[in-house]
């Protein structure tokens, strides 16, 4: 099978541009040739007419018409005019069109040929005509000869053969041909330069490669979850994906292409990136009431800024990822605590066996199995949701390792969480409150480290209480605690957990209250409506 390789773009540009230049050169050359031909013909006609009119008014010509043999005088005059003007012929005839002069003396006395004397001999007009005479086709100027009384005595006909005019055309045609060749060569060289320059500007890519890159680019920006918007150096939108259209609340994303970014994102900083060319990473902003995190990067070509791209994502999605990572960390810590505790028990059992104290070893095993089974059974009976009872069991193991007494209120009861409530948010709330409580009781050495957990489902709402025996939180700090990212702890980022609790409660349309419990520490009370996430949380 014969496989025809596609012609490269540079070659195509060269071929097409050279072909068009050739057509243009031929067209212009032909037009120039026809223009020159018509101009030469017009000028020769005017010249012949001028000579005819001038000859017809000469005194010696008029005097010759009065003598018996005008030929003797008129033939000499005609010969002189022909020599001086390079005319093909000068013919002077009488009122009947009989020749008095002619370049060929044998034709003197015979009628003039061409049948174009009527306008001069009858109407007395001077004019230019093209006709076939005795010497061939010629451009001739004809003028009547008048006497002093205005009577027509004869006619003067001076002409140039068209065959001689064709030779003159060929002389100009040679020059036109040379000009055409020079123009064609310059055009071909320009085509070569143009094709190379275009290929360089498109990074030596072929059209099919450009099409593939364009398709891949569109697929890429649509495949990522981040919203992406690109603008040109004028700040006009050139590209945006479906995620960006969703955040901007656009029904037709193509309708905004070419519009200024400020029309749709008034608080954008992309124009600053276009002006100064500095990257901006992880910058917060609000679009249509949504908190988002934005990255802005300039687009440069040959060191010049030609546009900018912004990628952004909802803050809530980033927070959700942080929550999930926090959950994973909590599960990891719980498993680590459980593993550490079981290792201690295994070491004890191993030592008792080596000491042949089998009864004591069996007692520890029985006690551990019975205690763990009782705890698991109690929690499972009270909390029907597997995610939450798994979390609570994990925190019991963590409390054992930290030497913290975790009390699960015996009045607790919770059915499986409804689909309208995001389970990850409930897990985040409970996990962060328990973690904070563990850390608080560790700081207070004046009271035993005790943390109490109460979970209850009253049919309309879910109530979660976490109480600790720590130092508590002063009431005057309550509003500040709920409005800012601060903490009563020492390290820089300790306030993040409580902030996530507040954010999660807010998303679940819940309420969060802070008070002092029976353990003399802080008491957090969370109430979540089972109707779903509607509205804003109240504190």
């Amino acid at each position: 099978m014969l496989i025809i390789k596609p012609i490269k773009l540079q070659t195509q540009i060269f071929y097409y541009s050279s072909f068009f230049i050739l057509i243009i050169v031929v067209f212009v050359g032909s037009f120039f040739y026809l223009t020159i031909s018509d101009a030469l013909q017009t000028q020769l006609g005017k010249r012949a007419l001028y000579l005819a009119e001038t000859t017809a008014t000469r005194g010696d010509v008029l005097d010759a018409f009065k003598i018996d043999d005008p030929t003797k005088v008129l033939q000499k005059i005609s010969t002189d005019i022909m020599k001086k003007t390079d005319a093909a012929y000068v013919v002077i005839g009488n009122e009947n069109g009989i020749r008095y002069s002619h370049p060929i003396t044998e034709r003197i006395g015979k009628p003039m040929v061409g049948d174009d004397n009527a306008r001069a001999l009858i109407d007395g007009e001077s004019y230019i005509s093209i006709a076939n005479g005795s010497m061939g086709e010629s451009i001739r100027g004809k003028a009547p000869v008048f006497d002093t009384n205005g009577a027509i005595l004869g006619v003067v006909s001076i002409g140039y053969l068209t065959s001689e005019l064709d030779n003159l055309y060929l002389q100009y045609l040679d020059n036109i041909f040379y000009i055409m060749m020079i123009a064609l060569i310059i055009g071909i060289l320009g085509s070569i330069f143009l094709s190379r320059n275009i290929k360089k500007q498109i990074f030596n890519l072929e059209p099919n490669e450009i099409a593939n890159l364009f398709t891949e680019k569109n697929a890429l920006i649509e495949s990522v979850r981040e919203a992406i918007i690109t603008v040109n150096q004028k700040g006009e939108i050139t590209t945006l994906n479906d995620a960006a259209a969703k955040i901007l609340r656009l029904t037709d994303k193509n309708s905004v292409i070419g519009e200024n970014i400020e029309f749709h994102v008034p608080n954008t900083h992309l124009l600053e990136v276009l002006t100064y060319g500095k990257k901006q990473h992880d910058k917060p902003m609000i679009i249509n009431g949504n908190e988002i995190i934005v990255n802005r990067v300039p687009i440069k070509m040959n060191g010049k800024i030609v546009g900018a791209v912004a990628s952004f994502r909802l803050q809530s999605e980033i927070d959700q990822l942080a929550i999930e990572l926090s959950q994973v960390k909590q599960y990891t810590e719980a498993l680590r605590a459980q593993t550490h505790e079981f290792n201690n028990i295994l070491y004890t059992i191993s030592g008792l066996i080596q000491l042949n104290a089998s009864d004591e070893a069996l007692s520890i095993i029985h006690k551990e199995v019975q205690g763990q089974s009782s705890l698991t059974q109690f929690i499972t009976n009270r909390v029907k949701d597997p995610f939450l009872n798994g979390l609570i069991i994990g925190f019991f193991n963590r409390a054992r390792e930290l030497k913290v007494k975790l009390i699960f209120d015996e009045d607790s009861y919770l059915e499986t969480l409804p689909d309208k409530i995001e389970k990850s948010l409930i897990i985040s709330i409970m996990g962060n409150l328990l973690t904070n409580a563990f850390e608080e009781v560790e700081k207070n050495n004046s009271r035993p480290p005790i943390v109490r957990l109460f979970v209850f489902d009253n049919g309309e709402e879910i109530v979660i209480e976490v109480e600790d025996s720590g130092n508590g939180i002063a009431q005057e700090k309550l509003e500040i605690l709920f409005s800012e990212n601060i903490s009563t702890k020492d390290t820089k980022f300790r306030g993040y957990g409580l902030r996530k609790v507040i954010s999660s409660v807010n998303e679940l349309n819940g309420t969060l209250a802070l008070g002092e419990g029976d353990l003399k520490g802080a008491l957090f009370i969370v109430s979540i409506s089972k109707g779903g996430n509607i509205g804003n949380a109240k504190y």
Side-chain angles (χ1 to χ4, degrees):
M1 177 183 290
L2 180 61
I3 300 177
I4 301 177
K5 296 178 65 176
I7 302 176
K8 292 184 177 181
L9 177 62
Q10 183 174 345
T11 306
Q12 291 184 39
I13 295 174
F14 171 73
Y15 284 162
Y16 287 134
S17 57
S18 298
F19 176 72
F20 288 134
I21 290 171
L22 177 61
I23 292 177
I24 293 172
V25 167
V26 172
F27 174 78
V28 172
S30 301
F31 179 77
F32 189 54
Y33 173 75
L34 293 175
T35 301
I36 291 178
S37 300
D38 183 69
L40 287 173
Q41 183 174 311
T42 301
Q43 291 300 320
L44 283 176
K46 290 181 178 180
R47 183 179 181 183
L49 178 61
Y50 173 76
L51 292 173
E53 290 176 339
T54 303
T55 302
T57 58
R58 287 177 56 166
D60 52 355
V61 172
L62 294 176
D63 293 339
F65 271 89
K66 297 176 183 180
I67 62 177
D68 294 334
D69 187 8
T71 298
K72 291 182 180 180
V73 178
L74 295 178
Q75 180 67 8
K76 184 178 182 303
I77 292 173
S78 298
T79 302
D80 291 340
I81 293 173
M82 287 174 58
K83 290 179 180 179
K84 293 178 180 179
T85 62
D86 293 327
Y89 62 86
V90 176
V91 177
I92 302 175
N94 63 14
E95 70 275 12
N96 296 317
I98 303 302
R99 300 185 185 103
Y100 284 152
S101 66
H102 195 279
I104 302 175
T105 56
E106 289 80 4
R107 298 177 182 178
I108 296 174
K110 296 181 180 181
M112 300 174 69
V113 179
D115 298 327
D116 57 347
N117 290 329
R119 293 171 61 187
L121 295 176
I122 297 174
D123 300 329
E125 294 182 16
S126 297
Y127 55 92
I128 300 171
S129 70
I130 299 176
N132 280 314
S134 61
M135 298 183 68
E137 187 180 62
S138 60
I139 299 172
R140 56 183 77 181
K142 290 184 178 289
V145 179
F146 295 98
D147 63 9
T148 55
N149 296 322
I152 298 175
L153 299 177
V155 61
V156 177
S157 178
I158 299 178
Y160 293 89
L161 296 177
T162 55
S163 59
E164 295 179 356
L165 189 61
D166 290 340
N167 294 331
L168 187 60
Y169 291 163
L170 292 175
Q171 294 178 9
Y172 282 100
L173 183 61
D174 288 342
N175 295 331
I176 294 174
F177 178 77
Y178 293 141
I179 294 174
M180 289 173 61
M181 288 298 100
I182 293 173
L184 183 60
I185 292 172
I186 293 174
I188 291 174
L189 293 176
S191 299
I192 295 173
F193 174 78
L194 176 65
S195 61
R196 289 181 178 178
N197 190 47
I198 292 176
K199 194 69 183 294
K200 182 180 179 181
Q201 290 183 357
I202 59 175
F203 304 102
N204 294 319
L205 296 174
E206 294 299 318
N208 61 321
E209 294 174 332
I210 296 174
N212 291 337
L213 286 176
F214 182 77
T215 304
E216 291 173 3
K217 184 208 76 171
N218 288 337
L220 177 63
I221 65 173
E222 293 297 344
S223 65
V224 297
R225 295 184 62 183
E226 285 79 7
I228 296 176
I229 297 179
T230 61
V231 298
N232 58 20
Q233 56 188 353
K234 296 180 181 179
E236 299 169 341
I237 298 173
T238 56
T239 306
L240 76 162
N241 60 359
D242 291 337
K246 183 178 179 181
I247 293 177
L248 296 177
R249 299 176 184 173
L250 300 174
T251 56
D252 182 12
K253 66 179 183 180
N254 294 322
S255 63
V256 302
I257 301 298
E259 297 183 2
N260 196 286
I261 184 65
E262 289 187 311
F263 293 160
H264 301 278
V265 188
N267 56 338
T268 182
H269 293 276
L270 271 179
L271 300 183
E272 295 180 8
V273 177
L274 288 173
T275 303
Y276 301 107
K278 293 184 179 180
K279 299 179 181 179
Q280 298 180 2
H281 293 295
D282 300 328
K283 300 296 182 181
M285 69 179 299
I286 296 178
I287 298 179
N288 292 330
N290 296 317
E291 294 184 9
I292 64 174
I293 300 297
V294 188
N295 293 298
R296 306 178 185 95
V297 179
I299 302 173
K300 295 183 179 181
M301 182 178 293
N302 297 325
K304 182 181 179 182
I305 299 174
V306 297
V309 58
S311 62
F312 47 93
R313 196 165 183 177
L314 292 172
Q315 176 70 52
S316 58
E317 294 181 359
I318 298 174
D319 290 345
Q320 183 63 32
L321 290 175
I323 291 171
E324 293 176 1
L325 289 174
S326 176
Q327 295 169 8
V328 171
K329 182 179 179 181
Q330 292 170 7
Y331 293 145
T332 302
E333 289 293 325
L335 290 174
R336 187 182 67 83
Q338 187 175 10
T339 301
H340 183 71
E341 185 66 21
F342 278 120
N343 283 337
N344 292 335
I345 295 173
L346 287 175
Y347 293 151
T348 303
I349 294 172
S350 174
L352 291 174
I353 292 175
Q354 292 179 22
L355 296 173
N356 294 322
S358 56
D359 292 337
E360 288 79 357
L362 289 173
S363 176
I364 291 176
I365 294 172
H366 178 73
K367 181 180 179 181
E368 183 64 28
V369 171
Q370 186 178 16
Q372 189 68 25
S373 176
S374 299
L375 174 64
T376 303
Q377 186 176 3
F378 175 74
I379 295 174
T380 304
N381 290 335
R382 291 294 178 176
V383 179
K384 304 298 183 181
D385 192 279
F387 287 95
L388 289 181
N389 59 42
L391 177 67
I392 295 170
I393 292 172
F395 271 100
F396 263 99
N397 294 325
R398 176 63 174 164
R400 182 185 303 175
E401 181 187 17
L402 297 175
K403 308 302 181 184
V404 174
K405 183 179 180 180
L406 176 59
I407 301 173
F408 185 51
D409 198 301
E410 61 182 11
D411 293 329
S412 296
Y413 183 79
L414 179 64
E415 291 286 348
T416 302
L417 293 175
D419 295 335
K420 294 181 179 179
I421 296 179
E422 183 66 40
K423 293 183 180 181
S424 62
L425 297 178
I426 297 291
I427 292 173
S428 175
I429 293 171
M430 186 181 297
N432 279 295
L433 288 178
L434 287 173
T435 300
N436 286 346
F438 285 175
E439 293 176 353
E440 285 296 322
V441 297
E442 285 183 320
K443 296 193 306 181
N444 187 2
N445 298 322
S446 61
R447 288 191 291 268
I450 303 173
V451 175
R452 183 182 69 87
L453 172 64
F454 173 70
V455 182
F456 190 72
D457 181 358
N458 62 14
E460 295 182 357
E461 59 184 5
I462 297 170
V463 178
I464 301 173
E465 293 184 5
V466 177
E467 182 183 359
D468 62 66
S469 61
N471 295 322
I473 300 177
Q475 282 291 340
E476 60 268 15
K477 295 185 178 179
L478 181 61
E479 293 298 327
I480 300 176
L481 185 63
F482 285 159
S483 62
E484 299 181 10
N485 184 21
I486 66 165
S487 174
T488 57
K489 302 163 191 175
D490 298 329
T491 58
K492 183 178 180 181
F493 300 105
R494 288 292 184 88
Y496 180 78
L498 190 53
R499 186 188 181 197
K500 299 312 298 179
V501 171
I502 296 172
S503 176
S504 299
V505 171
N506 183 65
E507 287 194 49
L508 292 171
N509 187 30
T511 60
L512 175 63
L514 175 64
E516 183 177 343
D518 296 336
L519 299 178
K520 306 301 181 181
L523 171 62
F524 288 92
I525 304 173
V526 178
S527 178
I528 306 297
S529 172
K530 296 181 70 174
N533 330 4
I534 307 172
N536 295 319
K538 300 175 182 178
Y539 307 109

